[in-house]
């Protein structure tokens, strides 16, 4: 298939591409599996910026999907362990091994109207793309400042990981517009529901 516009409404607001990958998994935000077939993985790779738009993606298959699932699970395990103050050396070894592979090379080519656009220096390979995400996880977990900002969303039915870069590091939700808004709506409904009960008790008194 050829890369086109993103049609799946992906979210890339976790602050790091490795955390955005984890967010595509089952239960990360109360959703089902988002990378359930090669076409969706190909779309995610383009939408994430890992592959330039217009790149032919005929090689993406079920094996790619399985390998990205494996990387995603490893990152989730490792980051969760780090947040809990313990290690997961098995996940760490797997991510380090993937990160050791060369990442895709980029070059500038002439696009429409002669404007320079990004292109891969060679056809996209699964190993190189996995390496790019794995290295992002390595960079994140070895950067003391970034590690301090790692959070798990406090929203109901959401387990998304995100990087809190807000002033004061007091952000509670992966997204104020999504989980934050849900929490505000739920809080309002609880207040509204409680009003008739309070009024009834006052009348009885």
């Amino acid at each position: 298939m050829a890369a086109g516009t993103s049609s799946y409404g992906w979210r890339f607001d976790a602050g790091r591409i490795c955390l955005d990958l984890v967010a595509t998994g089952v239960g990360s935000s109360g959703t089902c599996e988002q990378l359930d077939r090669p076409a969706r993985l190909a779309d995610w790779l383009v939408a994430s910026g890992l592959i330039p738009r217009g790149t032919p993606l005929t090689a993406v298959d079920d094996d790619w999907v399985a390998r990205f699932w494996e990387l995603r699970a490893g990152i989730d395990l490792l980051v969760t362990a780090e947040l809990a103050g313990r290690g997961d050396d098995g996940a760490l070894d797997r991510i380090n091994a993937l990160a050791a592979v060369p990442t895709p090379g980029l070059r500038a080519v002439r696009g429409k109207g002669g404007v320079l656009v990004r292109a891969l220096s060679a056809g996209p390979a699964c190993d190189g793309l996995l390496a790019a995400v794995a290295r992002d996880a390595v960079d994140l977990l070895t950067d003391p400042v970034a590690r301090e900002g790692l959070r798990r969303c406090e929203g109901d039915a959401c387990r998304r990981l995100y990087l809190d870069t807000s002033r004061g590091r007091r952000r509670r939700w992966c997204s104020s517009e999504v989980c934050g808004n849900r929490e505000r709506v739920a809080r309002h409904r609880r207040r509204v529901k409680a009003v008739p009960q309070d009024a009834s008790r006052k009348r009885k008194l």
Side-chain angles (χ1 to χ4, degrees):
M1 65 172 285
T5 58
S6 176
S7 56
Y8 298 114
W10 304 112
R11 284 178 58 187
F12 296 99
D13 53 4
R16 299 295 288 251
I17 192 63
C18 62
L19 302 181
D20 287 323
L21 175 63
V22 173
T24 64
V26 176
S28 63
S29 55
T31 60
C32 59
E33 174 61 60
Q34 297 179 50
L35 302 179
D36 58 352
R37 57 187 182 274
R40 286 178 69 90
L41 173 58
D43 192 86
W44 185 86
L45 290 169
V46 174
S48 69
L50 288 169
I51 292 180
R53 293 190 181 278
T55 303
L57 294 173
T58 55
V60 181
D61 59 13
D62 289 334
D63 181 62
W64 281 49
V65 173
R67 295 183 69 189
F68 268 89
W69 284 357
E70 185 178 0
L71 172 60
R72 182 179 66 189
I75 294 171
D76 194 6
L77 285 171
L78 183 57
V79 174
T80 298
E82 291 296 318
L83 282 172
R86 52 184 170 77
D88 189 320
D89 290 341
L92 179 60
D93 289 343
R94 291 193 296 274
I95 290 170
N96 280 334
L98 290 171
V101 175
T103 56
L106 290 175
R107 61 195 179 102
V109 299
R110 296 289 177 188
K112 292 182 179 179
V115 177
L116 290 174
V117 296
R118 291 190 315 145
L120 296 181
S121 56
C126 189
D127 285 349
L129 294 167
L130 290 168
V133 181
R135 286 190 188 184
D136 184 60
V138 170
D139 288 341
L140 169 61
L141 294 172
T142 57
D143 179 341
V145 175
R147 281 172 57 100
E148 281 294 313
L150 271 173
R151 300 285 186 274
R152 178 80 71 179
C153 183
E154 296 180 22
D156 291 340
C158 184
R159 350 177 11 258
R160 281 176 63 105
L161 294 160
Y162 65 92
L163 203 58
D164 181 6
T165 57
S166 65
R167 181 175 296 180
R169 297 279 176 94
R170 295 179 179 177
R171 182 175 154 194
R172 296 177 50 209
W173 304 296
C174 60
S175 169
S176 178
E177 291 74 23
V178 181
C179 287
N181 189 54
R182 287 175 187 160
E183 177 64 24
R184 287 187 287 270
V185 169
R187 193 183 307 146
H188 174 72
R189 286 176 178 168
R190 288 194 294 269
R191 285 198 300 266
V192 170
K193 187 177 180 180
V195 168
Q197 296 174 355
D198 292 342
S200 177
R201 281 196 291 268
K202 289 179 180 178
R203 284 196 297 270
K204 290 178 181 179
L205 293 173

